[in-house]
Structures are given as structure tokens and as C-alpha cells.
Amino acid sequence: MSGNKESDGGWRKFMWNSEKGEFLGRTGCSWFKIFLFYVIFYGCLAGIFIGTIQAMLLTLSDYKPTYQDRVAPPGLSHTPRSEKSEIYFKMSDNSTYKKYVDSMNELLRNYDEGRQTKQLKFDTCGEDPLTYRDQGTLENSLGQRSSCTFPRKWLGDCSGLTDSTYGFKEGKPCLIVKLNRIVYFKPRGPSDNSTLPEALQGRSYQNLIPVHCKNKRPEDASKIGEIKYFGFNGGFPLQYYPYYGKQLHPHYLQPLVAIQFTNLTIGEELRIDCRAYGDNIKYSEKDRYQGRFDVKITVNS
């Protein structure tokens, strides 16, 4: 019993020693010094952290990413997209291509003419390819920039206006192609037509980034059939560039190219390679969407 009392008294004395004025083994002055040390220590850490963040913020722009090494040159993307870039459907079963049609409708909804108004700062920029529509630098005080209209009717048979299935019902599927957005990027058209595919040679591509598709495998050469291109003569006109970013270009619509495969061999898995051609548009085998893409299309009856 006496041992327990001594033990209880020892703990009580450790919590508060009235003789020495200690709480948990330390005097009030000792606790104050410890508290002051940690306030100064963590205050210095917080100051260093805040200072480094502020220094980093001074290097950033409100309008343009400081580093764009991972996004230039631009990627070439297509709609509809699917897992593993494989498009498979049956003409006789609309449930097999409904998801493709839905994705096309979602993309082109913003290209309805009723959504491209002067109130939203849309301007008519002409139906012929023109040079860049420069609206100052990113850092000037011009405010929100205007955008060029791009009515979906320019996509012809792939606009969804005359054929709500975008050719899938007839076994003539469409793809909608666009260059991915990069802030203040100015694509340059091909300066040497001899570097272009044979099908593109002999034409003028002033102020235009042409797009061309062909068979990826030699054995598919006779199975692809005729390919039609809709939009600005099958390319991206330069008057839609540069793009000024979401803050300055909130309603911007990039130009589109519609591609329709009008005579694909039924029941065959076909590999198709599509590329955009320009002096500053590069390709990479490591990135299948850098300036190009390839897609597998299988049409069954």
C-alpha cells in the first residue's frame, strides 16, 4: 500500500511540483523559452516557404505557361476517339456506332452558328485561307480577344446537318480532326511542296496547314478507297492563329478538318495514318498523336 502511495505521489509531483514551481518537469521560464524557440523556428520555415512561392510566382504569366517543352509541337487529335484508337461498327446496328455519333454531336455543338455571335466577340474572317490574325501580345492591355467564326456547315457531309449519323449508317464514316491548342503558337505552312505526299503536290498551301490520310500498311492500299476532305480545302487556315489562352480567348474555336472514308472495304481491319504538314509540325514515334495519329477502322454490314 505504501508503495502505491509513493508511486501516486511521484506522478502527481511530476505533473506539478509546487516546491520548485515545475509543470511536467519544467519551470514556466523554461516552457516560455521552448515555446519562443519553436515560434521563431517554424516562423522562419514559413517565411522561407512563402518567399520561394512568391519568387516563383514572379516568373509566371497570367496568360501563358512559362514552360511549354512538353506540349510543342502540337498534337493532332480526332473525334470520335475510342479505346486503343479502334473504330468498329456495324452499318445495320445503330447501337454499335451511337457512341461515335454522340461524341461528334458534342464536339460540333459549339460550332452551331447561333453560338457564334458578335456579343461573344466572334468575327467573320473569310472563307479563304489568310495569314495570322495577330491581336497583340499576351501581356498588353487589349483585354479579351475576338475569335473567328467556323460554322459547322463548312464540314459538308460530315457536318451532321444533312446526315445525322455522320456517314456511319452508310458505311462511310467521318472523322473530325483538329490541332490541339497551344497558347500563342503560330503553325507554319509547308515551304517545300516536294516534301509532301504525292497526293498533295501540285497545289498551293499558302496560309494553310494541309491534312492528309493514307493507308498505314502496304496491304491496305487498295482497300481504303476515296477519302474526302471538308473545311478549308482540307487544312487549317492561319487566320485562326494564334490562340491567346482561356483567359483572353474564352470562346475560341479552332478550325476543323472533316475526313470521310467513302469506300472502305467491308469486313476488313484497316490501319489509316493521318498527318498535318507544316514547317514547325514534327512527328514522334514515341508520341502517336504528335502532329499525326493512326486509327483502326473496321466496317461490317
Side-chain angles (χ1 to χ4, degrees):
M1 295 294 293
S2 60
N4 289 338
K5 289 182 178 179
E6 290 177 2
S7 176
D8 292 342
W11 277 107
R12 287 197 298 269
K13 196 169 185 180
F14 174 74
M15 293 292 293
W16 171 248
N17 189 330
S18 59
E19 296 176 1
K20 298 182 180 180
E22 293 178 345
F23 174 70
L24 295 177
R26 292 183 179 274
T27 63
C29 181
S30 177
W31 278 115
F32 175 76
K33 290 178 180 179
I34 290 176
F35 176 77
L36 182 62
F37 167 79
Y38 280 107
V39 167
I40 295 174
F41 176 71
Y42 286 112
C44 290
L45 289 182
I48 293 172
F49 176 76
I50 294 172
T52 55
I53 293 297
Q54 290 298 323
M56 182 189 70
L57 291 176
L58 292 175
T59 68
L60 302 180
S61 169
D62 292 333
Y63 309 108
K64 181 181 180 181
T66 303
Y67 301 105
Q68 292 182 282
D69 57 308
R70 295 191 66 182
V71 294
L76 189 69
S77 59
H78 63 87
T79 301
R81 295 189 66 173
S82 60
E83 187 177 354
K84 298 181 180 179
S85 292
E86 296 180 2
I87 296 177
Y88 169 88
F89 66 96
K90 293 182 179 180
M91 293 184 287
S92 58
D93 185 358
N94 61 5
S95 65
T96 62
Y97 56 79
K98 183 180 183 300
K99 60 183 177 180
Y100 304 137
V101 171
D102 290 344
S103 65
M104 303 276 269
N105 286 333
E106 183 178 357
L107 169 68
L108 295 179
R109 189 175 295 116
N110 290 327
Y111 288 81
D112 289 335
E113 291 190 56
R115 294 173 176 259
Q116 303 175 48
T117 64
K118 288 190 176 294
Q119 289 76 11
L120 295 178
K121 303 204 72 169
F122 278 98
D123 294 332
T124 301
C125 301
E127 298 186 24
D128 297 311
L130 302 173
T131 190
Y132 306 111
R133 192 164 181 263
D134 207 322
Q135 301 181 74
T137 63
L138 292 167
E139 288 76 19
N140 64 28
S141 57
L142 295 177
Q144 182 178 325
R145 309 300 200 271
S146 61
S147 305
C148 289
T149 59
F150 193 101
R152 62 189 293 179
K153 66 181 181 182
W154 288 352
L155 300 179
D157 294 341
C158 294
S159 65
L161 300 176
T162 57
D163 179 3
S164 60
T165 69
Y166 301 94
F168 283 91
K169 184 177 180 180
E170 303 298 327
K172 301 177 180 179
C174 292
L175 295 180
I176 306 298
V177 181
K178 60 184 178 180
L179 275 179
N180 293 345
R181 301 178 184 183
I182 297 179
V183 177
Y184 212 68
F185 176 74
K186 293 182 178 181
R188 297 194 302 271
S191 58
D192 183 4
N193 280 17
S194 64
T195 62
L196 300 178
E198 184 177 352
L200 295 181
Q201 294 182 15
R203 307 180 193 175
S204 173
Y205 294 103
Q206 185 177 8
N207 301 322
L208 192 71
I209 307 296
V211 174
H212 180 67
C213 298
K214 65 177 183 178
N215 54 292
K216 186 175 179 65
R217 301 178 302 192
E219 59 267 28
D220 292 337
S222 61
K223 302 175 183 179
I224 302 298
E226 181 186 10
I227 302 175
K228 292 183 178 180
Y229 300 86
F230 300 97
F232 276 80
N233 195 27
F236 305 112
L238 300 188
Q239 68 257 42
Y240 287 81
Y241 302 94
Y243 166 57
Y244 284 84
K246 288 185 177 180
Q247 187 167 339
L248 298 178
H249 243 160
H251 303 293
Y252 172 81
L253 296 176
Q254 63 247 65
L256 305 175
V257 172
I259 302 169
Q260 185 174 31
F261 304 97
T262 63
N263 193 21
L264 295 175
T265 300
I266 305 298
E268 296 275 353
E269 181 187 276
L270 305 174
R271 292 284 299 272
I272 298 170
D273 181 82
C274 298
R275 302 188 179 217
Y277 292 89
D279 282 357
N280 57 347
I281 296 179
K282 310 299 181 184
Y283 316 111
S284 171
E285 292 302 322
K286 296 181 180 179
D287 185 349
R288 61 187 302 175
Y289 286 100
Q290 182 174 305
R292 57 170 290 274
F293 66 82
D294 66 84
V295 61
K296 296 179 184 178
I297 301 180
T298 305
V299 182
N300 285 314
S301 56

